[in-house]
């Protein structure tokens, strides 16, 4: 399995995600929040908030942080929100909306919205089985079982990647509104 980086200092995505997960659970414990639905949603968000960093160009940027490589990167929060929708099975539309927005709005900036091009796959298939394996390992390491992985989610293509139109329905038209500026 790939060892994905979270930061250019060599911190792995697994280390970082588990650290954020433990911190989020500690905050909930300190607040006296033991509601399973809330804990599962917050836990999933903490574990997957940087999952978009698994993308090849982002990994290249972290290994070689040059301005040229930075300009080739898909914003990891946007890709992460799409990967979340594609990989994780969530029965509640309300929970899906909340988690999608939490992941999407990680490190958000206006440029993330206006520069994102959801046609970047250009008809190519993208094998994401290594990302699915990473998520399964992350869930196991965190002893997290709040949500399941979808059964068919190992190859992204233009036809099955969630698109901006669908994502826009989850955020009440915010993306379309921002793209008109």
């Amino acid at each position: 399995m790939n060892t994905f980086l979270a930061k250019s200092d060599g911190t792995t995505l697994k280390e970082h995600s588990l650290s954020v997960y433990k911190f989020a659970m500690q905050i909930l414990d300190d607040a006296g929040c033991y509601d399973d639905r809330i804990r599962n949603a917050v836990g999933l968000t903490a574990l997957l908030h940087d999952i978009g960093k698994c993308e090849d160009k982002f990994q290249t940027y972290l290994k070689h942080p040059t301005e040229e490589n930075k300009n080739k990167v898909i914003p990891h929060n946007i890709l992460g929100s799409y990967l979340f929708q594609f990989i994780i099975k969530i029965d509640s539309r309300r929970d899906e909306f909340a988690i999608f927005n939490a992941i999407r709005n990680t490190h958000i900036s206006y440029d993330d919205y206006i520069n994102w091009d959801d046609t970047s796959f250009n008809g190519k298939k993208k094998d994401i089985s290594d990302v699915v394996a990473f998520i399964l390992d992350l869930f196991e390491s965190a002893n997290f079982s709040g949500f399941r992985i979808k059964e068919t989610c190992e190859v992204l293509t233009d036809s099955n990647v969630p698109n901006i139109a669908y994502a826009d329905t989850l955020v009440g038209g915010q993306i379309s509104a921002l793209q008109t500026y």
Side-chain angles (χ1 to χ4, degrees):
M1 179 173 31
N2 278 346
T3 300
F4 297 109
L5 294 178
K7 303 185 181 299
S8 58
D9 68 3
T11 303
T12 69
L13 189 55
K14 183 176 180 179
E15 293 167 334
H16 174 66
S17 298
L18 289 173
S19 175
V20 171
Y21 172 76
K22 289 174 187 172
F23 184 65
M25 294 299 101
Q26 186 62 55
I27 290 171
L28 291 177
D29 289 345
D30 292 348
C33 180
Y34 300 103
D35 180 284
D36 285 343
R37 184 168 159 253
I38 292 171
R39 291 182 74 84
N40 285 335
V42 170
L44 182 65
T45 302
L47 287 169
L48 299 186
H49 78 281
D50 274 347
I51 198 66
K53 290 183 177 182
C54 289
E55 198 267 332
D56 296 339
K57 290 177 185 171
F58 204 96
Q59 288 297 300
T60 298
Y61 169 66
L62 289 175
K63 292 172 186 167
H64 311 286
T66 65
E67 197 62 34
E68 179 184 348
N69 286 338
K70 182 179 182 179
N71 293 332
K72 296 177 184 176
V73 170
I74 296 171
H76 75 277
N77 56 319
I78 295 174
L79 182 58
S81 63
Y82 286 142
L83 288 170
F84 151 73
Q85 285 181 306
F86 188 69
I87 296 172
I88 306 298
K89 179 172 177 28
I90 297 195
D91 296 326
S92 164
R93 183 107 163 120
R94 181 177 165 191
D95 290 348
E96 179 183 11
F97 175 81
I99 297 166
F100 173 89
N101 276 303
I103 293 171
R104 183 166 184 90
N105 292 316
T106 302
H107 317 295
I108 195 65
S109 75
Y110 177 72
D111 288 343
D112 288 345
Y113 286 108
I114 62 171
N115 293 331
W116 169 248
D117 173 11
D118 71 344
T119 62
S120 64
F121 287 96
N122 294 325
K124 298 176 187 170
K125 290 185 177 182
K126 172 70 173 150
D127 181 346
I128 59 165
S129 57
D130 55 342
V131 177
V132 174
F134 171 76
I135 291 172
L136 288 170
D137 179 55
L138 198 58
F139 283 6
E140 185 178 323
S141 297
N143 198 25
F144 181 80
S145 58
F147 295 99
R148 299 180 309 278
I149 300 290
K150 292 181 180 176
E151 293 176 16
T152 55
C153 64
E154 296 197 348
V155 178
L156 286 175
T157 65
D158 281 340
S159 62
N160 68 14
V161 67
N163 61 29
I164 283 185
Y166 174 66
D168 206 31
T169 66
L170 291 177
V171 294
Q174 294 173 29
I175 299 169
S176 297
L178 286 170
Q179 287 180 329
T180 60
Y181 290 154

